Amino acid sequence: MKNIFLNIHGFGSSGSNSKAAALAQVFPDYNIISPDLPPDPQESLAIIEDNVLENCDKPLVLQGSSMGGLYSLVMHMRHGVPALLINPALAPGDLIAAKVGEPYEFSNGDSIIVSEEHAERFFTVQREVEDGVMAGMVDGRQILALIGEQDELLDQNRMKDILRRAGAGIISYDTDHRFSIFEEVLGSDGRVRDFLVGAH
């Protein structure tokens, strides 16, 4: 049976993001699940977890970008699902806390004012990742991270430090936070293709 891809978009994006489109273009014969996620991290994790559990008897592989990379790593820790992380935002509480009081617009036109409560919800997820890494809950053979060294949003040295402590595989590219070369990477980098189709 071919792997099923569960695509997890980043904060403010949607299930029809460019990463889902790239998967569909490069792997037209594979089943792709790509849900729309709300701003709240716990609600997002609940939706993702429902999808993971619904497919627990199938060869599922997660692909998460930015905040979706964070969520994918959490699902790996909880359920052992292989995950491709694209510029994962592994310290989300710090990112969201810096935006408290500011409006944030989503790709579907909705907007929110970022609150301290919102930031604390992301700190809760951040702590789950930190605790999981310390407890050795990551199988490094099942995690591959793609890092854009020109990322304008994340401190990639910090992200790589977390990933190395987790034992994850890391491949660096000369690209930005949006990882705009993703479709090209899928088509040309055998390491990434082999991970997606060969995990399990």
Side-chain angles (χ1 to χ4, degrees):
M1 180 183 292
K2 291 181 178 178
N3 286 345
I4 297 171
F5 302 138
L6 176 53
N7 177 64
I8 310 301
H9 66 75
F11 189 73
S13 186
S14 73
S16 57
N17 67 350
S18 62
K19 308 304 184 300
L23 276 178
Q25 180 67 30
V26 177
F27 300 106
D29 298 328
Y30 284 70
N31 186 20
I32 301 167
I33 304 168
S34 192
D36 288 329
L37 301 174
D40 184 274
Q42 300 301 337
E43 293 176 9
S44 292
L45 285 168
I47 292 170
I48 299 164
E49 196 154 39
D50 283 346
N51 278 280
V52 169
L53 294 175
E54 285 172 9
N55 292 280
C56 64
D57 59 340
K58 302 181 182 74
L60 187 69
V61 179
L62 301 178
Q63 171 183 283
S65 177
S66 191
M67 206 70 78
L70 169 83
Y71 297 154
S72 296
L73 185 57
V74 170
M75 287 299 110
H76 169 76
M77 291 176 173
R78 293 182 185 179
H79 301 288
V81 186
L84 179 71
L85 315 181
I86 306 164
N87 282 335
L90 303 179
D94 299 317
L95 284 175
I96 301 300
K99 296 183 179 297
V100 167
E102 297 180 9
Y104 193 97
E105 280 200 17
F106 294 84
S107 61
N108 64 1
D110 291 344
S111 65
I112 61 169
I113 301 296
V114 180
S115 67
E116 291 185 4
E117 179 183 2
H118 204 184
E120 182 52 41
R121 286 176 174 267
F122 278 101
F123 273 120
T124 298
V125 183
Q126 182 171 325
R127 287 190 289 269
E128 181 175 352
V129 168
E130 291 169 350
D131 291 346
V133 169
M134 287 184 62
M137 295 174 65
V138 178
D139 180 351
R141 299 165 300 176
Q142 297 286 293
I143 298 293
L144 179 62
L146 311 185
I147 299 297
E149 294 293 351
Q150 304 304 319
D151 194 310
E152 68 281 5
L153 179 64
L154 303 176
D155 178 349
Q156 292 293 37
N157 287 328
R158 183 180 182 188
M159 298 305 104
K160 285 186 287 187
D161 177 66
I162 296 169
L163 291 163
R164 288 189 185 106
R165 286 191 284 113
I170 301 172
I171 307 176
S172 292
Y173 299 89
D174 186 23
T175 191
D176 54 4
H177 183 68
R178 291 184 67 249
F179 212 93
S180 51
I181 63 169
F182 184 59
E183 185 173 336
E184 176 186 341
V185 166
L186 278 185
S188 63
D189 194 326
R191 295 169 296 179
V192 179
R193 290 175 61 90
D194 289 348
F195 181 85
L196 285 171
V197 303
H200 294 281

